[in-house]
């Protein structure tokens, strides 16, 4: 049975990002962590409130996972968030390109967590991330045509 007090997030991230994101999220969310597209698709079930996918997930296959989830009638309603957790801050034009591609592929958000940590500090960035993900997870609604 699902713990309704904690939204369940599927973290599709590379191993390096696990400590950073689980530290920021684990107290308020139930987390399922995956490192490959195959693992992520296998873990995606009716209890998942949102997919949080790192930009470098599975050898930079974030957009492939996004397309596969949004193409599937049974999962297209699940909010998908693209997150940049590491690697420094992208050039402004590159960052805007990733954000625009995420939007065009129907992701509900692109979050540059690495930039937030620089701009707001680690604790404030983590709080900002948790708040955003609580809002996004509450949007999850099963597709009535499924």
């Amino acid at each position: 049975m699902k713990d309704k007090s904690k939204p369940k997030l599927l973290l599709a991230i590379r191993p390096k990002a696990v400590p950073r994101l689980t530290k920021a999220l684990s107290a308020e969310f139930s987390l399922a962590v995956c490192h490959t597209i195959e693992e992520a698709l296998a873990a995606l079930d009716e209890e998942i409130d949102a997919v949080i996918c790192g930009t470098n997930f599975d050898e930079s296959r974030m957009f492939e996972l996004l397309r596969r989830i949004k193409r599937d009638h049974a999962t297209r309603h699940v909010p998908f968030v693209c997150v940049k957790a590491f690697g420094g801050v992208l050039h402004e034009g590159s960052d805007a390109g990733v954000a625009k591609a995420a939007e065009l592929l129907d992701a509900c958000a692109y979050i540059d967590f690495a930039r937030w940590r620089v701009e707001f500090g680690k604790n404030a960035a983590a709080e900002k991330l948790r708040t955003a993900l609580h809002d996004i997870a509450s949007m999850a609604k099963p597709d009535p045509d499924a």
Side-chain angles (χ1 to χ4, degrees), residues 1-137:
M1 174 177 266
K2 183 177 176 181
D3 178 359
K4 297 288 185 186
S5 67
K6 286 187 171 189
K8 186 172 181 183
L9 305 178
L10 175 64
L11 294 182
I13 55 178
R14 62 184 171 154
K16 179 181 177 182
V18 171
R20 178 170 284 184
L21 291 177
T22 57
K23 182 178 179 183
L25 302 173
S26 63
E28 296 182 26
F29 297 91
S30 174
L31 305 175
V33 179
C34 301
H35 302 301
T36 67
I37 285 180
E38 293 75 20
E39 291 172 350
L41 293 172
L44 192 59
D45 62 29
E46 68 278 350
E47 293 187 0
I48 298 296
D49 293 303
V51 174
I52 314 308
C53 188
T55 54
N56 292 316
F57 167 69
D58 197 7
E59 300 183 15
S60 297
R61 295 171 71 194
M62 175 182 71
F63 290 133
E64 181 181 342
L65 179 62
L66 173 56
R67 280 191 296 270
R68 289 181 68 178
I69 287 174
K70 293 302 177 178
R71 183 174 55 215
D72 187 328
H73 193 69
T75 59
R76 67 178 171 206
H77 68 281
V78 178
F80 192 103
V81 179
C82 302
V83 175
K84 184 169 186 292
F86 276 103
V89 178
L90 287 175
H91 177 274
E92 189 175 315
S94 299
D95 192 51
V98 172
K100 186 63 175 177
E103 175 188 341
L104 291 171
L105 291 170
D106 205 23
C108 65
Y110 168 70
I111 296 173
D112 189 340
F113 188 55
R115 182 183 304 245
W116 285 2
R117 286 171 53 94
V118 170
E119 289 180 7
F120 305 114
K122 293 176 185 179
N123 293 336
E127 180 60 32
K128 187 175 170 84
L129 180 64
R130 287 190 298 272
T131 299
L133 295 180
H134 273 292
D135 291 345
I136 289 165

